[in-house]
Amino acid sequence: MSSGAQTVQSLLLVLNAGSSSIKFSVFDARAGQEPAECFHGQIEGIGGAAHFIAKAPGGQVVGEHRWTEAEHVDHQKALVLLSEWLTPHLQGRPLLACGHRVVHGGRRYAQPVLIDDAVLTELEALCPLAPLHQPHNLAPIRAIREHLPDLPQVACFDTAFHHGQDEVVQQFALPRAVTEAGVRRYGFHGLSYEHIASVLPKVHPRLASGRVIVAHLGNGASLCAMHGGRSVASTMGFSALDGLAMGTRCGTLDAGVVFHLQREMKLTPEQTEHMLYHDSGLLGMSGVSNDMRELRTRSSEPQVRLALDIYVHRIVREIGSLAAAMGGLDALVFTAGIGENDADTRAEVLDGCRWLGFMLDVRRNAARGPCITEGDPAQVPSAWVVPTDEEGMLARHVLKVLAARA
């Protein structure tokens, strides 16, 4: 990869690094135009049997490779492999910058920021607030700084979208000194919610100014209440463990359970953390999988059915809570992997929310909308399926930061 001045052929690289995967997209950064995706992909299964795949915008596979668990692909090796694949595919076009999804921006960072030594030090200090996410977000930044020290890098924060929430929403009922030490509700999935907020005016005029709950349902899952496109409240709080039951995370949990696990069941803090993040949620409840597709095929099995029912119940209950926080609800938007693709989850959630006035349109739901309810959205609550685009949001942020720097 090589850096260079911006030309009509310059490219942007955006990275979304998680605990076991690195998602990437490359965008054409033509001056004065929206960034256009050239290709995207991911390396998943890092630490085990890793799998690399790259696709063109139309979905056709343009690169793929698998490694055995014995080959032990860690994050550093994954980045080297990605660089080796990208170099010929950039076809000599200069790389203008790299944007990164960083889960935690703390109390300071409410906007994307150009990364320098001071910023990186501050972001590293936030690792205790997101120990299973932040270190992996920062690892590619350090690697790129080492190999391409002149390439501008921009950090875009999942917490930033929620910064405008009222203090009464953000603060826990804890001693003031604890709050001032940074223990408060931050909210996450902000890049996804920011994208949805940006396209709501195109979806329906009522949604742009109305009271909307967005359901980001993937392996990680949360809800965000928006009024006029601004975050009012979110189900995730201090950590990405809070709120809904997720693929492998428990969601909201009585803090007394943590004490019990450690005192009575003799789990260490590390073992407790691993259980709550990796062995709980749909995986832990079903004993089968965290993959919604597999669970739906086995939904006749009692434990799987119970796991699905609990998953939906938690979503429905939190929708009621967020609707109360806004004093009503005009629309519900489903997005992310499960939200966009699993019609059964959407139908079950809306069935549990009939009291709010939702009337499911079965045909539209099967066709993935965009509107999946009956009635005039200007008159009655409506539900929608709107694809998220975190990578596109990252690319737009990077261009804005570079433009401000010029």
Side-chain angles (χ1 to χ4, degrees), residues 281-289 295 298 303-304 307:
L282 286 170
L283 174 63
M285 292 187 292
S286 70
V288 171
S289 176
L295 295 177
R298 300 177 61 171
Q303 200 61 30
V304 172

Side-chain angles (χ1 to χ4, degrees), residues 312 315-317 319-320 323 329 332 334 345-362 372-374 380-383:
V312 170
I315 295 171
V316 170
R317 197 171 87 168
I319 287 173
L329 183 62
L332 175 64
F334 293 94
T345 293
R346 296 193 298 265
E348 291 166 7
V349 168
L350 289 175
D351 183 62
C353 293
R354 283 178 297 172
W355 65 278
L356 283 166
F358 291 107
M359 299 177 289
L360 177 69
D361 184 312
V362 175
I372 60 172
T373 46
E374 299 175 358
V380 297
S382 56

Side-chain angles (χ1 to χ4, degrees), residues 222-257:
S222 67
L223 306 178
C224 179
M226 298 181 190
H227 196 175
R230 293 179 58 254
S231 175
V232 174
S234 173
T235 55
M236 279 186 173
F238 175 72
S239 74
L241 193 64
D242 199 11
L244 307 179
M246 305 176 221
T248 63
R249 295 175 234 167
C250 62
T252 298
L253 185 71
D254 181 343
V257 174

Side-chain angles (χ1 to χ4, degrees), residues 93-105:
R93 291 172 289 179
L95 193 59
L96 177 65
C98 182
H100 300 266
R101 175 190 177 223
V102 177
V103 165
H104 221 303

Side-chain angles (χ1 to χ4, degrees), residues 387-402:
T388 193
D389 184 9
E390 293 169 292
E391 286 73 24
M393 201 74 237
L394 281 165
R396 290 191 289 275
H397 279 314
V398 172
L399 288 179
K400 288 180 181 177
V401 170
L402 295 181

Side-chain angles (χ1 to χ4, degrees), residues 28-39:
D28 188 336
R30 295 179 187 272
Q33 298 182 18
E34 279 286 298
E37 187 182 78
C38 301
F39 41 82

Side-chain angles (χ1 to χ4, degrees), residues 115-137:
I115 299 169
D116 57 20
D117 290 341
V119 169
L120 187 55
T121 297
E122 289 190 58
L123 297 183
E124 287 172 339
L126 294 172
C127 285
L129 300 184
L132 301 187
H133 294 83
Q134 194 86 347
H136 298 299
N137 298 157

